Amino acid sequence: MAADIVQTAASLLLPDPVAFRVAADDQDANDEARERIDKILNSPHMHSAMLQGAESGSALGGVYARIVWNTAVKDHAWLDFVDADQAVPEFIYGELSAVTFWEVVDQNEAEDRVLRHLERHEPGFTEFYSDGTQRQVYGRIYHGLYEGTAITLGGRIELWEHPETEGIPVNDEGYIDTGTAGLTAFYFPNALPNPVFRGKGTLRHFGRSDIGDPAVIGLMDQIDETYSSLARDVRLAKARLMVSEHLLEVKGPGKGTAFNVEQEVYEKVGGVPNGSPVIEAHQFAIRVDDHLRTSEGFLRAILRRVGFSPYTFGLSDDSGAAMTATEVDAKKDASTATFKTRSGIWKAVLTRAARTLIEVDAAVFETGAVVGQELEVHWPPAARESVQSKGQTLQALESAKAASTEWKVRYLNPDYDDQQVAHEVARILDEGAVADPLRLGADQPFSQRDAAEEEPVDDEPRTTDDEEDDSEELLFAA
């Protein structure tokens, strides 16, 4: 159950890849920065890493991300997510100010010898001198290898004494310049606040786990007990036969008796003192529905505590009646609210992390990428609307003349950037344009002959001289 909850939490938070873009009003950003953003951030690897980080954060209450690079592995820097129990953070008014990551690189249990690699991230700062000048100091990443025991850190040894750390290019003081003034590590809390650590200094900034709440743990124990009871019913429900002793086969002195369940024909036994031989089958009922309804009730209580809708886990409506689309959306209100809260937390951190990542990548790989502001993070919706539903919405807006062509294009294609939207709008307007009939000319071309050269046509009938004389005589006679 715990695994299902954290997997669902990660899938709900990141149903589709997140889109990173240069801020619309960032005049300092160049084309190199846009290319590196698409290469590093708008990539399948980034989406996969974020999914893993979200699942770890759901289980442990939060997750850390650090900027790493290795020219022998990739031609760019990237974000590496670290579990919350492998970091020692430092906060200033709720903001991460420094963090030390640790991992065990070698261990000898027989000798109680443990080698730990410590990696500390610190932000840059500005040095001021007495003559009024100042100097910007970049952020630093310190690396150290320590030899100790299972419960002690021990003393520091050289990095080259272990294969996993010998290639880290630190300077004489044991650190690496990051090339940026910002901190190269970030913390993504799963949910805030955490009532367990209320008023406990640095601990109060830690996120809340979806499965670490004592109430949730108790409910999951009840589900385990319910399924254990169901398994016991299955075990006890095996068919058992009770047969008369006269039907048992004697194996011999000291070997007891047995009953062959595969035997089909029996010899009639006569003179049985207790009446006819008995073969009775006994089998207990398995209370499947009772156990499943009980476990579902506990599951619904867990989901309410975590902030998920039962509908998200495939649980049907209690009424059993058919639901309209509006009612379906209402069933997801709890999950939608949780999605908005957690995506807002991640979005606020990712805007800083993405800019710092591009700056470090530019410094290490000399890409020339420049960004003047924090990047824009476009989060996918919790549930993607169907094309049919969008079409009906656009048709209604078109009939009401309530939306522009640009808005409709952005609504139908939320992953389009400004240039793609502009091109699509231009194509739609060109296809729907109506030509001016006054500029098309006549349907049939005019004759090239001058109208003055054409002979006049007299439509009136002509009369002869004899006809004129006859008419005069008729008039005189009258």
Side-chain angles (χ1 to χ4, degrees):
M1 181 55 60
D4 293 339
I5 291 176
V6 297
Q7 291 174 3
T8 303
S11 301
L12 178 65
L13 179 63
L14 296 163
D16 291 303
V18 175
F20 296 85
R21 298 173 188 166
V22 172
D25 56 346
D26 189 355
Q27 302 298 328
D28 299 328
N30 54 14
D31 294 337
E32 289 79 4
R34 294 181 174 86
E35 293 177 1
R36 301 302 283 186
I37 290 172
D38 290 336
K39 181 181 182 64
I40 302 172
L41 297 172
N42 297 324
S43 65
H45 173 78
M46 180 65 179
H47 178 62
S48 176
M50 291 177 62
L51 273 175
Q52 297 177 23
E55 186 170 334
S56 174
S58 174
L60 302 177
V63 67
Y64 293 87
R66 59 184 175 183
I67 298 176
V68 297
W69 65 88
N70 190 327
T71 55
V73 178
K74 293 183 179 180
D75 59 351
H76 60 81
W78 69 92
L79 282 181
D80 177 48
F81 288 86
V82 183
D83 293 339
D85 57 355
Q86 290 185 303
V88 181
E90 299 175 15
F91 292 92
I92 298 179
Y93 294 108
E95 295 292 332
L96 185 67
S97 58
V99 60
T100 301
F101 300 107
W102 65 271
E103 62 175 337
V104 176
V105 296
D106 197 0
Q107 185 173 8
N108 189 329
E109 296 183 358
E111 300 178 359
D112 194 18
R113 176 176 174 269
V114 180
L115 288 182
R116 295 180 177 88
H117 172 218
L118 271 61
E119 178 182 325
R120 178 175 175 81
H121 291 245
E122 294 182 354
F125 56 92
T126 304
E127 286 186 343
F128 295 93
Y129 299 98
S130 58
D131 58 356
T133 60
Q134 60 185 28
R135 182 175 70 93
Q136 176 63 51
V137 178
Y138 291 134
R140 298 173 178 178
I141 303 177
Y142 291 87
H143 290 270
L145 185 63
Y146 292 81
E147 180 179 0
T149 65
I151 59 175
T152 60
L153 180 61
R156 185 170 183 174
I157 61 178
E158 298 295 334
L159 293 174
W160 53 262
E161 295 188 37
H162 194 273
E164 291 193 15
T165 57
E166 64 178 351
I168 300 177
V170 296
N171 58 16
D172 295 337
E173 298 181 20
Y175 67 85
I176 302 174
D177 277 328
T178 62
T180 180
L183 182 64
T184 51
F186 313 91
Y187 179 60
F188 299 84
N190 180 60
L192 292 173
N194 191 341
V196 177
F197 298 136
R198 185 178 65 87
K200 295 184 179 180
T202 301
L203 297 178
R204 64 190 177 92
H205 303 300
F206 288 173
R208 184 175 68 249
S209 171
D210 288 332
I211 59 177
D213 189 346
V216 174
I217 294 176
L219 291 170
M220 287 192 292
D221 288 341
Q222 294 296 327
I223 293 180
D224 290 341
E225 186 174 349
T226 302
Y227 276 97
S228 298
S229 176
L230 177 59
R232 181 175 179 270
D233 274 15
V234 174
R235 187 171 60 254
L236 295 178
K238 296 178 181 179
R240 290 170 172 82
L241 296 178
M242 299 182 65
V243 298
S244 174
E245 61 179 350
H246 303 286
L247 300 179
L248 299 178
E249 180 182 356
V250 178
K251 294 295 184 180
K255 296 181 179 179
T257 59
F259 179 75
N260 185 6
V261 295
E262 301 295 336
Q263 185 175 347
E264 297 181 355
V265 180
Y266 295 89
E267 182 181 358
K268 185 175 181 181
V269 180
V272 179
N274 296 330
S276 300
V278 176
I279 301 178
E280 296 180 354
H282 294 269
Q283 187 173 14
F284 296 101
I286 303 176
R287 300 166 296 170
V288 179
D289 293 337
D290 294 339
H291 286 92
L292 293 183
R293 283 197 301 268
T294 302
S295 63
E296 182 178 328
F298 289 135
L299 176 57
R300 289 179 181 271
I302 291 175
L303 297 180
R304 284 195 302 269
R305 181 69 177 178
V306 176
F308 294 149
S309 302
Y311 199 83
T312 304
F313 271 70
L315 299 180
S316 60
D317 181 37
D318 295 334
S319 63
M323 293 183 295
T324 64
T326 304
E327 290 173 336
V328 170
D329 292 339
K331 293 295 181 182
K332 298 180 180 179
D333 282 348
S335 295
T336 302
T338 301
F339 163 80
K340 291 180 179 180
T341 302
R342 299 187 181 182
S343 62
I345 294 174
W346 274 67
K347 187 175 181 179
V349 180
L350 279 176
T351 54
R352 302 194 308 270
R355 178 183 179 179
T356 306
L357 175 60
I358 296 302
E359 292 176 347
V360 172
D361 178 75
V364 174
F365 295 92
E366 299 179 352
T367 62
V370 178
V371 289
Q373 299 180 16
E374 295 181 350
L375 301 186
E376 291 182 354
V377 179
H378 297 267
W379 211 272
R384 185 174 292 274
E385 191 176 2
S386 64
V387 177
Q388 180 181 3
S389 177
K390 285 188 174 182
Q392 294 174 351
T393 301
L394 292 176
Q395 185 177 8
L397 293 174
E398 178 67 20
S399 301
K401 302 296 181 183
S404 63
T405 303
E406 179 181 353
W407 186 93
K408 289 183 286 187
V409 170
R410 292 186 183 275
Y411 171 74
L412 189 61
N413 305 281
D415 55 337
Y416 276 15
D417 56 22
D418 294 340
Q419 185 176 5
Q420 290 175 310
V421 171
H423 289 170
E424 185 68 17
V425 170
R427 285 194 291 266
I428 293 175
L429 296 179
D430 290 342
E431 292 176 359
V434 179
D436 188 357
L438 298 179
R439 297 183 179 181
L440 295 178
D443 295 338
Q444 299 295 332
F446 288 104
S447 175
Q448 299 297 326
R449 186 172 55 178
D450 189 11
E453 298 178 358
E454 297 182 359
E455 296 181 357
V457 179
D458 190 1
D459 294 335
E460 296 181 0
R462 298 181 179 180
T463 57
T464 60
D465 296 340
D466 296 339
E467 292 176 347
E468 292 179 357
D469 294 341
D470 295 341
S471 62
E472 292 178 355
E473 293 177 357
L474 292 173
L475 292 173
F476 178 75

